[in-house]
Every structure is written in C-alpha cells, then in structure tokens.
Amino acid sequence: MYHGLRMDPIADFLVQPISGSTEHHLAYAYRWHGRLMVLSWGIMIPLGIIVARYFKITRHQNWPVQLDNRLWWRAHLALQIGGVALSLLALGFALVGPVTGGSLSVELHVLLGWAIVLLGLTQVLGGALRGTRGYPVVALDAELASRAGVGDHFDMTLRRCVFEYAHKLCGYAAIVLAGLNIALGLALTDAPRWMWLVIGLFWISLGVLALLLQRQGRCVDTYQAIYGPEATLPGNRREPIGWGVRRYRPGEWPPRPLSRRA
C-alpha cells in the first residue's frame, strides 16, 4: 500500500531539534529535570484537574441516591501529590546540573519554575489544612448523633470557603504557568520536534475533552456531589465556588446533551 514511501526523512525531521540544528547536547541532569517536569506538570497534574472538575459524579451513578463517589478524590489526590513529588525530584536534578548562562530566558525559566513548585507545595499544604469534612447529623442514628457533629465542609465555614477559593485559584494559575514554562524549557533546550508535537497534541486533546465535558454540564458542584441537592443544606444555600460550576435538582442527572435540550 505504501510502495516507494520512505519514512527515514520524516523520522529524521522529527528527531531534529526545533531550530533545525544537526547537533543537540544536553547535560544528563537537565534531561531528567525536563522529563520529570513534563510528566508531573504536563501530564499528571492536568489529568488530576480534569478528573476533579468533571468526574465528581460518574455517568452511570444513581445520583442523588448514591452520593459521595470518592473515585475522583482518590485519583485527584494520587495524581496531584504524585506530580508535586516528581516536580521536587526534578528540581533536585536542576540544582545539581551544570551552571548555565544567565540569559533573560533562563532567568525567567528559573523564576517560573520556583513559582510553580511553591504553588504546588501550597496546594498540598492547603489540602491538609482544609478543615473537617462533616456530614448531616440527621443521617445518623441517635447514638452516633450524640457523639458526632458537622464539619467545615458540610457547614461551608469561612475556613472551607477560603480553602476552596485559594485551592482553585492557585491550581489554575499553577497549570497555566507550568504550560508556559514547559514550552520555554523546550525552547531553551532546543528540544526535538517530536517532543513539541507529542506534548502539544496531548494538551490540545485535554483542552477539547474539557470543553466537551463543560458543555455537557459535567462540572458539578462538589458540595452537591457529596451531600446531595437538598436546598436546606448549608452549602446549597450559597453560590457555588468557581467558574462554570453547575448545580442540579433531583431528576436532572445525568444532564441531557445540548442537542436534545428544549
């Protein structure tokens, strides 16, 4: 079917540096710094954001009969903490690498890198300090109700509200800065064309997926996903925190595709 077609020129084009240079040398430490940063901030953490934003209620979950599906939480936690841990390892490789010239681009890459790592650590610390979870006391039997109470999340206390605003703002800011810095790092190291292509296509795919899920109404309020849609609950008496967050009444889930809505 492909008689006479040679793949060597295509392969040669893809493995060449983006500048078109025939040579490409990069210190061992910086190679691993780049690989780990791309894996953590270019793949794992963006996936963790997608999972947390759009999969709090799964498609076949019988919501609101079935509440608090923690699959998204476990995946989000593993991807974010794993990503931050890998970025710290990547930072270590950068610190032991050979000293390079202090051009403006290099200085900007270093500055953004520190900002991203600090934002990542702030996210982990904020998650640890987000307060107690809580649950409706009315859902417990009498014995448990006498010993239990509601928590920061159930009551949507000031502590919980501050956490949610800060967590979402810092998370989105960090991922934007990470995308810019990964692109800057690829340019500084004169990365081969295939790296630009693969990373670019992956990010475009994530963007398209996020757009489709957002249009489908899959960005559900965390409070409703965990505690339900009853209007009397403390968190449902206030506006949801974050942009594009949807709330549903009983019987409205799963949302109908846009093309089928009246």
Side-chain angles (χ1 to χ4, degrees), residues 62-203:
N62 186 20
W63 184 90
V65 176
Q66 296 173 319
L67 297 173
D68 196 15
N69 185 340
R70 309 210 79 187
L71 179 63
W72 72 270
W73 164 248
R74 297 186 187 97
H76 179 68
L77 193 68
L79 288 167
Q80 306 312 89
I81 291 181
V84 171
L86 285 181
S87 68
L88 292 176
L89 182 58
L91 176 62
F93 277 109
L95 293 176
V96 301
V99 178
T100 57
S103 67
L104 180 60
S105 296
V106 171
E107 295 296 333
L108 178 60
H109 183 72
V110 172
L111 179 63
L112 288 175
W114 279 109
I116 293 162
V117 170
L118 290 176
L119 281 172
L121 291 174
T122 299
Q123 292 293 81
V124 174
L125 179 62
L129 299 176
R130 68 188 183 280
T132 56
R133 182 173 180 271
Y135 42 83
V137 173
V138 295
L140 306 174
D141 59 41
E143 181 182 355
L144 288 176
S146 65
R147 295 186 285 111
V150 294
D152 291 291
H153 194 184
F154 179 76
D155 277 340
M156 288 303 288
T157 62
L158 177 62
R159 176 177 182 172
R160 177 70 194 195
C161 291
V162 169
F163 161 74
E164 290 204 12
Y165 277 113
H167 189 68
K168 293 179 180 180
L169 178 62
C170 291
Y172 290 128
I175 205 64
V176 170
L177 293 180
L180 294 174
N181 214 29
I182 287 173
L184 181 57
L186 291 174
L188 286 172
T189 58
D190 200 15
R193 294 184 176 100
W194 71 264
M195 289 187 182
W196 291 86
L197 183 63
V198 170
I199 295 172
L201 288 176
F202 179 76
W203 286 346

Side-chain angles (χ1 to χ4, degrees), residues 52-56 172 213-214 216-222 243-248 253:
R53 184 170 175 84
Y54 298 112
F55 292 94
K56 290 187 176 76
Y172 290 128
L213 293 173
Q214 186 70 39
Q216 290 174 6
R218 305 270 300 176
C219 182
V220 184
D221 181 26
T222 307
W243 62 272
V245 178
R246 293 281 304 274
R247 279 185 175 163
Y248 293 93
W253 183 267

